Amino acid sequence: MNPYKTFKTLVPEQRKNLLILFATGLLYWIGITIFLPILPLYVEHLGGTKQQIGMVMGSFAIGLILSRTWLGEIADYRGRKIVVIIGTIVAFLSPIGYLVANSIVHLIAVRAFNGISVAAFTTGYNALVTDLAPVKQRGEIIGYMNLSVPLGMALGPALGAILLPQIGYKVLFGCIAGLAFLTCTLSSQVREKNHPLASSEQHQQQNQPSRSFWQLLTSRSLFVPSLIFLLIGMMFGVLVTFLPLYKREMAGLFYSTAAIASFSCRIFVGQASDRYGRGLFISLSLICYTMSMVLLSISESSVGFIMAAILEGTGGGILIPMMLALISDRSYSSERGRVFAVGVSGFDVGIAISGPLLGFLNWEYPSMFALAASFAGIGFLLFITQSNRNIIHSLRFACGLEGDRYAVEEKTLNQ
């Protein structure tokens, strides 16, 4: 497992673009995750109730959901880079919006607008990485390039927790805006490959079908990953909304520990999945997520809390790059922006509904995390029974005993 050796095999232009893109991703995720431990506290500082905190945090996914579709189309038809830049511009404007917001309604609107940033950046970034990565090293390159996420999440929440008592909300939000401006400047230096040809005739000439969003969503090869993303999004929505309130003095430690665990496992799983398949690692990640939420629901000790963070980070470190690699395997380059938009939209919807729903239910925090564990557990059962053409093939794929029968390199997708 040698990232240096892997990147040395790439042509210089390819390597340069990936390195600039990685630096862009790292700065972006530092800025975006500084909000994780401080935004629920900021809403509470402004007088928000538990229900209103859930509404504000969940509204983040409104922008994600409403913007994924057209951002995916822009990525396919206009290029990936412009979508990345859109994400960084919105990231620059959002902290300013939080500063001037003077009501819960305004905070909800800004938080929803902020969601456009993540929708744009993740769609453009992941499509760019997949375009630049050699097919035989796709899982490995995606794994390495997505190390920017746990690194950013290790630094961002810790910085937020450290800086907030020292400089206050206003200066901290200003610093986040400045970091986003730097990210935007850096992203403009990326040189992308010519974006895929857009017309149906050109797709047919390349033996690549031109599928609509509805065709992509209803294709079983993409519907099941989207449904799993939905369930994990619901779990994650519970985590980011209520953990800072449940263990406010330890929330920053949880996120940083999880990010370190995520970073550690991502170094290895990408290359291993290119050799052994995606299914085994996705199964393991869903088990880790389930165990993490169970620990949060029953453990009262700091050791249990840290173990939950390690398991959550391991789950995220494996699941996200493996699911991205999976849906990349199941799509053509000419539709990859829309495919990422469709696949990850399930995650957006999950975040949107779980925080506000549980906020209105007003359950005790352990019960909320027990429900979050059930979301991940259902995702695991769904994957081992429905991830391939039938239950037998799904179980074998989920155990790493056979390849992905939906991968387009092997055969045409079954609509």
Side-chain angles (χ1 to χ4, degrees):
M1 312 294 177
N2 191 332
Y4 177 77
K5 184 177 179 180
T6 298
F7 276 82
K8 284 291 289 184
T9 65
L10 304 176
V11 298
E13 185 70 15
Q14 193 177 36
R15 183 167 59 248
K16 177 183 176 182
N17 281 313
L18 285 172
L19 291 175
I20 294 174
L21 196 58
F22 181 86
T24 300
L26 178 60
L27 292 177
Y28 176 83
W29 286 109
I30 290 173
I32 209 74
T33 59
I34 287 177
F35 285 118
L36 287 179
I38 67 172
L39 194 56
L41 302 178
Y42 183 61
V43 179
E44 187 179 60
H45 171 74
L46 295 180
T49 63
K50 183 186 294 186
Q51 291 80 6
Q52 289 171 330
I53 292 170
M55 291 174 63
V56 171
M57 298 302 291
S59 64
F60 181 79
I62 296 174
L64 285 165
I65 295 166
L66 296 180
S67 62
R68 283 279 189 197
T69 299
W70 61 268
L71 288 168
E73 291 181 342
I74 292 173
D76 283 338
Y77 299 140
R78 299 289 301 276
R80 326 297 199 193
K81 177 179 171 179
I82 188 174
V83 180
V84 171
I85 292 175
I86 289 172
T88 60
I89 291 173
V90 176
F92 167 71
L93 296 174
S94 296
I96 300 171
Y98 288 124
L99 284 176
V100 300
N102 54 16
S103 70
I104 297 298
V105 173
H106 291 159
L107 285 172
I108 289 173
V110 175
R111 186 66 174 161
F113 176 71
N114 199 356
I116 299 174
S117 172
V118 174
F121 191 86
T122 55
T123 298
Y125 183 91
N126 289 313
L128 264 174
V129 169
T130 305
D131 289 346
L132 291 168
V135 173
K136 291 183 179 180
Q137 297 170 294
R138 178 179 289 163
E140 184 181 8
I141 296 294
I142 289 175
Y144 292 151
M145 292 298 292
N146 273 275
L147 288 173
S148 63
V149 182
L151 280 174
M153 292 192 72
L155 296 171
L159 283 173
I162 293 170
L163 293 176
L164 179 60
Q166 307 297 323
I167 61 178
Y169 290 110
K170 291 185 178 181
V171 177
L172 183 55
F173 286 165
C175 291
I176 296 171
L179 188 61
F181 181 80
L182 178 60
T183 305
C184 182
T185 303
L186 190 60
S187 67
S188 67
Q189 304 304 307
V190 176
R191 292 181 179 272
E192 66 178 317
K193 298 165 64 175
N194 292 332
H195 61 271
L197 301 175
S199 72
S200 297
E201 293 80 5
Q202 290 166 324
H203 289 164
Q204 291 169 2
Q205 291 171 8
Q206 298 178 3
N207 293 319
Q208 296 189 10
S210 178
R211 295 184 289 176
S212 67
F213 268 97
W214 179 249
Q215 289 174 318
L216 292 172
L217 183 60
T218 55
S219 170
R220 177 170 170 156
S221 63
L222 297 174
F223 177 74
V224 173
S226 298
L227 194 53
I228 292 171
F229 264 129
L230 169 68
L231 290 164
I232 298 304
M234 294 174 69
M235 185 217 76
F236 192 71
V238 174
L239 183 68
V240 299
T241 301
F242 299 109
L243 182 68
L245 303 174
Y246 179 43
K247 299 283 187 179
R248 64 182 63 203
E249 73 283 358
M250 298 183 70
L253 176 63
F254 182 96
Y255 290 126
S256 296
T257 303
I260 293 169
S262 178
F263 176 86
S264 301
C265 66
R266 286 187 196 217
I267 295 175
F268 303 102
V269 297
Q271 187 177 34
S273 76
D274 287 331
R275 178 177 300 178
Y276 302 111
R278 324 295 188 200
L280 176 62
F281 298 96
I282 293 174
S283 298
L284 291 174
S285 71
L286 292 168
I287 293 172
C288 288
Y289 266 141
T290 304
M291 294 173 61
S292 171
M293 294 302 106
V294 169
L295 276 176
L296 280 178
S297 70
I298 65 174
S299 179
E300 297 182 358
S301 68
S302 57
V303 173
F305 186 80
I306 295 300
M307 283 300 302
I310 293 172
L311 286 168
E312 195 277 333
T314 301
I318 298 173
L319 183 74
I320 302 303
M322 288 303 95
M323 290 292 280
L324 292 174
L326 180 72
I327 61 179
S328 296
D329 294 341
R330 297 179 175 189
S331 63
Y332 296 99
S333 61
S334 56
E335 62 185 10
R336 197 156 285 142
R338 285 164 291 159
V339 165
F340 281 134
V342 168
V344 184
S345 63
F347 191 80
D348 306 338
V349 175
I351 295 175
I353 63 179
S354 64
L357 175 62
L358 269 71
F360 280 111
L361 291 176
N362 201 26
W363 288 1
E364 295 296 324
Y365 292 120
S367 298
M368 292 182 180
F369 291 114
L371 182 59
S374 73
F375 295 149
I378 293 170
F380 172 71
L381 294 175
L382 181 66
F383 185 74
I384 64 174
T385 59
Q386 302 296 318
S387 61
N388 244 276
R389 294 189 182 278
N390 56 43
I391 292 178
I392 299 300
H393 289 309
S394 295
L395 185 58
R396 288 180 60 82
F397 175 61
C399 293
L401 299 177
E402 68 174 50
D404 184 6
R405 291 176 177 261
Y406 284 126
V408 298
E409 290 84 1
E410 298 175 5
K411 53 185 71 178
T412 303
L413 285 172
N414 179 11
Q415 298 295 327

